Amino acid sequence: MGLAIDIAITHIRSRLRQTLVGVLGVATGVGFSVMMASLMEGSQRDFIAQLVDSLPHITISDDRRTPPPQPAALIYDEVEISNLSTVDRRRGIKNPLAVMADIESWAPAKVAPSVRANILLRQAGRDVGAVMLGIDPKREAEVSNIASKMVEGSLDNLVKASNAVLLGARLAERLGIRVGNTVTISSSGGKTMTATAVGIFRTGVAQVDDSQIYALTRSAQVLAGQTGLINELRLKANDALGARELAARIEAETGYKAVSWQEAHEDLINAFNIRNFIMYTVVGAILLVASFGTYNIISTITHEKTRDIAIMKSLGLRAALVRRIFVLEALVIGLIGMLAGFALGFAMTKALGAVEFRSPFGDATRLPVIYSPIHYGLAGAIALGASLIAAWLPARKAASVNPVEIIRGAS
Amino acid sequence: MTPLIETRKATRILRGEIDTTLVRDIDLAIHPGEFVAITGPSGSGKSSLMYLLGLLDTPTSGDVLIQGKSTARMDEDARAKLRLETLGFVFQFHFLLAEFSALANVTLPMRALGKLSDKAMRARGMDLLTRLGLKDHSHKRPDQLSGGQRQRVAIARALANDPQVILADEPTGNLDTASTEQVFGIIQTLVGEAGRSVIIVTHDPHLARRASRRLHVVDGQLAPVPEDD
């Protein structure tokens, strides 16, 4: 083994230019794989963050998927009953605190209670329909990113004034409402209240910016005409992609309708799946191309040594020892190249992550990149594997050739 | 006395679209202390015969015995070991490893055999180089040496494991007259040391005449030495 290592190191050291080419070849392959993977997965994560995280992952409401059976139908199940007046149910989630505590005890998610009420905003003689979400600002911050979407004012302003509301930017623009203005809000039940605008938010989702306002739970309950009402629980799951399964389980456990973001936005799922497919295809293709480049360089280096292999074999060195020399060389070049590739990939990712884009509306955004050890591990393992195979195959072939064939050709 | 090398109906056929017979039905024996020259016209099969004698090639049929041991059924590794221990080679082209110093080239077979300590290998390598007049060139790589010097390094390497037989294939083929004389002279001095035999392939009748025995090969078979040579 010592002899093989010695010969391998001498080869590597005395053919610096070739070693450098080999190392660079491996390094570029690894570097670009890492960079592309971090860009692709970064943009994928960003996509989730932008679209999915601005929505609640799961919304639990007091709705049911089927109308509740009437008592008469339960008792006389063989009889067709129609036109009985239905039994009214009290709206809202029963004992919401207990339900929340129950969900939080087992589900990997954060839960925030809210009251959803359809309202009319009245301003300067115009009536505009909107959805009011009554929230608890502290808990809301845990399940939504609304706090980071504030253009003016802040989420905490809600508790600083009585009947304070936050308005979507497009809604505020449409009605000409600024922070500090008063607006009149009336509910479908006929209740009316005067509220003060304390903040304006812009999520980038037109539907939300155009028709949503936030208020404290208490204010919304007053408008809904039911104290203590909580008719919606919103969840932010630790794993956004597992929301569908989690929602099904919550629905089974609590009996309330739980809608995952996947169910609510099937169009997003398609887009998401297509992006995933593109990501794996691109990263896979780059890894393939990179490993092919690595293979080419290493196998060329080994091929050039065919004569040396014949010489060593003719002297009486065992074929296995000769093969080992070249596999070791590839291992060293592959390892150095891999480490250089990690540095290159990291630097390129850093550089890409510093690129800024300006949109006409919002702030400057940067290319979304992530740094994942998995990318490095995968790119490194594939490069090393390709190097070893690239050395092994030609070395095996050269070592199995009768040295006479090469000696005869050379002399 | 057991011959160092003996062949029994050794035949080597190169398989291809048309089979080519390199050597056919060779029966010979090389005894300790012999200096044998293999001659013949080019393409007669004299090099092929040497490769068979040196276990570099395997006979298609027949057998080659080294110190009485049949090699017909040996696997590649066993033959490699036998080469390493008992045979030394010098080729027309020096075949030194380009990246290694003269000394490293000479010690390579010793290291492959692994019987001596590193220090002993270096000492023996230096002794051999000194004997061949290369004491001051031990650290040089082959491309820093002249043709004659390279061939002398190759001879030192052939002697590394103190082989019973030295096989040389046109060892002076690429050298000028002065270097030829020097290298051939050195090869001559190796004969008989501890019973060592030397087999040399050459097309040069002047050199061949200095051997103790001549084997003439024509069309892959042993033939009488021509009168006028």
Side-chain angles (χ1 to χ4, degrees):
Chain A
M1 198 67 190
L3 180 58
I5 291 173
D6 261 20
I7 296 177
I9 288 178
T10 308
H11 275 167
I12 286 168
R13 287 220 321 236
S14 56
R15 316 186 96 197
L16 268 184
R17 200 188 59 81
Q18 203 173 44
T19 302
L20 205 66
V21 169
V23 165
L24 278 180
V26 179
T28 30
V30 171
F32 277 95
S33 304
V34 164
M35 181 198 78
M36 280 310 293
S38 77
L39 184 61
M40 291 306 291
E41 201 174 332
S43 88
Q44 187 76 325
R45 295 262 183 99
D46 187 59
F47 175 76
I48 298 178
Q50 291 285 323
L51 289 168
V52 180
D53 286 358
S54 64
L55 309 163
H57 293 166
I58 300 173
T59 308
I60 304 166
S61 62
D62 58 350
D63 272 350
R64 285 168 196 278
R65 290 194 189 262
T66 51
Q70 292 303 313
L74 285 177
I75 297 163
Y76 308 107
D77 59 349
E78 291 298 318
V79 183
E80 182 86 12
I81 298 167
S82 66
N83 225 13
L84 281 179
S85 65
T86 56
V87 173
D88 268 350
R89 283 178 179 266
R90 189 180 152 81
R91 291 195 296 142
I93 292 167
K94 270 188 209 158
N95 203 354
L97 291 176
V99 174
M100 280 166 59
D102 174 46
I103 292 170
E104 279 188 327
S105 72
W106 60 265
K110 296 276 195 303
V111 190
S114 57
V115 184
R116 179 180 288 272
N118 292 318
I119 52 140
L120 278 177
L121 271 179
R122 179 161 299 159
Q123 171 79 355
R126 286 179 68 189
D127 286 351
V128 175
V131 174
M132 174 182 271
L133 273 180
I135 56 162
D136 172 350
K138 270 203 208 103
R139 284 189 165 267
E140 186 67 18
E142 289 186 336
V143 302
S144 87
N145 54 6
I146 191 72
S148 65
K149 302 289 183 190
M150 298 304 298
V151 184
E152 268 183 87
S154 77
L155 200 54
D156 295 333
N157 286 357
L158 281 180
V159 296
K160 288 178 185 160
S162 61
N163 292 345
V165 291
L166 307 175
L167 285 89
R170 292 167 69 124
L171 183 64
E173 261 166 47
R174 199 141 57 97
L175 293 172
I177 298 171
R178 299 208 184 127
V179 169
N181 292 171
T182 20
V183 285
T184 309
I185 300 173
S186 47
S187 72
S188 51
K191 298 263 188 329
T192 300
M193 79 162 44
T194 308
T196 316
V198 295
I200 288 170
F201 58 86
R202 185 196 294 277
T203 61
V205 181
Q207 193 198 343
V208 172
D209 294 345
D210 207 25
S211 68
Q212 200 149 302
I213 72 173
Y214 283 89
L216 287 183
T217 326
R218 191 166 12 93
S219 315
Q221 285 166 345
V222 170
L223 274 174
Q226 187 176 327
T227 50
L229 172 74
I230 294 293
N231 58 9
E232 191 176 81
L233 299 180
R234 282 171 305 139
L235 264 78
K236 180 164 200 115
N238 294 350
D239 170 23
L241 300 183
R244 190 192 288 273
E245 290 73 27
L246 191 60
R249 204 175 142 198
I250 289 173
E251 191 163 314
E253 299 238 343
T254 64
Y256 290 109
K257 182 179 172 187
V259 177
S260 60
W261 67 268
Q262 287 106 319
E263 187 185 345
H265 300 271
E266 277 182 54
D267 50 335
L268 283 190
I269 292 296
N270 269 336
F272 190 81
N273 284 341
I274 288 169
R275 286 179 62 103
N276 246 344
F277 183 78
I278 292 173
M279 175 176 90
Y280 289 125
T281 311
V282 170
V283 172
I286 290 206
L287 283 174
L288 193 73
V289 171
S291 61
F292 194 71
T294 302
Y295 183 92
N296 252 335
I297 287 167
I298 302 277
S299 69
T300 306
I301 291 176
T302 309
H303 268 301
E304 283 182 5
K305 285 281 172 206
T306 303
R307 213 194 60 169
D308 278 20
I309 292 176
I311 296 172
M312 289 188 271
K313 278 196 71 187
S314 74
L315 293 177
L317 271 66
R318 281 181 304 117
L321 178 87
V322 175
R323 278 198 304 268
R324 204 176 298 143
I325 292 168
F326 292 93
V327 172
L328 276 170
E329 278 179 39
L331 192 68
V332 172
I333 292 175
L335 270 175
I336 300 174
M338 184 186 84
L339 293 176
F342 286 172
L344 181 69
F346 185 79
M348 286 194 297
T349 311
K350 254 273 178 295
L352 270 186
V355 175
E356 274 191 4
F357 292 90
R358 292 201 166 271
S359 89
F361 306 107
D363 305 324
T365 52
R366 291 178 189 282
L367 267 184
V369 293
I370 61 157
Y371 302 91
S372 161
I374 294 171
H375 298 159
Y376 290 80
L378 196 65
I382 286 178
L384 269 191
S387 308
L388 291 183
I389 295 170
W392 172 257
L393 290 181
R396 191 187 61 167
K397 196 169 155 234
S400 66
V401 165
N402 191 338
V404 166
E405 283 173 32
I406 292 150
I407 291 166
R408 219 180 244 136
S411 53
Chain B
M1 195 165 50
T2 324
L4 287 174
I5 304 178
E6 197 181 347
T7 62
R8 292 190 183 151
K9 295 253 172 268
T11 299
R12 176 72 168 101
I13 297 167
L14 207 58
R15 302 287 181 198
E17 276 180 44
I18 305 163
D19 288 354
T20 318
T21 305
L22 300 174
V23 293
R24 184 196 299 281
D25 293 336
I26 303 278
D27 278 303
L28 58 80
I30 312 281
H31 294 280
E34 271 197 294
F35 183 12
V36 178
I38 302 177
T39 56
S42 60
S44 62
K46 54 188 189 299
S47 288
S48 299
L49 175 59
M50 196 210 87
Y51 298 149
L52 284 182
L53 297 178
L55 300 184
L56 289 171
D57 204 359
T58 19
T60 314
S61 64
D63 197 358
V64 177
L65 291 83
I66 304 291
Q67 294 176 318
K69 265 187 287 182
S70 165
T71 61
R73 297 239 165 80
M74 280 186 181
D75 66 10
E76 186 59 39
D77 281 355
R79 295 156 55 84
K81 187 154 184 283
L82 208 52
R83 274 205 300 275
L84 193 61
E85 286 171 338
T86 53
L87 307 173
F89 296 93
V90 181
F91 298 100
Q92 177 174 3
F93 189 71
H94 60 80
F95 277 140
L96 298 173
L97 298 181
E99 292 88 359
F100 294 79
S101 69
L103 181 61
N105 268 289
V106 173
T107 53
L108 182 68
M110 304 183 213
R111 300 193 58 181
L113 192 61
K115 281 193 176 153
L116 298 175
S117 70
D118 276 6
K119 208 175 149 193
M121 287 189 227
R122 283 184 65 85
R124 178 167 169 76
M126 281 309 296
D127 280 353
L128 288 169
L129 285 172
T130 308
R131 176 176 170 190
L132 295 171
L134 295 165
K135 195 179 178 209
D136 300 332
H137 303 285
S138 65
H139 60 281
K140 289 186 182 167
R141 281 188 283 109
D143 57 2
Q144 297 166 312
L145 297 170
S146 73
Q149 288 170 330
R150 284 180 211 159
Q151 208 56 318
R152 279 184 279 153
V153 175
I155 293 171
R157 182 178 63 182
L159 289 168
N161 288 329
D162 201 11
Q164 291 298 296
V165 186
I166 296 277
L167 297 108
D169 185 6
E170 303 270 12
T172 58
N174 284 342
L175 302 180
D176 58 34
T177 321
S179 298
T180 296
E181 192 47 50
Q182 191 186 25
V183 166
F184 197 86
I186 290 166
I187 289 175
Q188 256 182 321
T189 66
L190 304 176
V191 181
E193 285 178 356
R196 182 185 295 129
S197 301
V198 172
I199 302 170
I200 184 166
V201 172
T202 181
H203 64 270
D204 183 342
H206 298 289
L207 295 179
R209 261 185 236 122
R210 289 155 72 174
S212 59
R213 179 150 68 109
R214 277 182 71 180
L215 296 169
H216 195 67
V217 182
V218 177
D219 291 337
Q221 285 175 299
L222 292 178
V225 178
E227 294 285 330
D228 56 339
D229 259 16

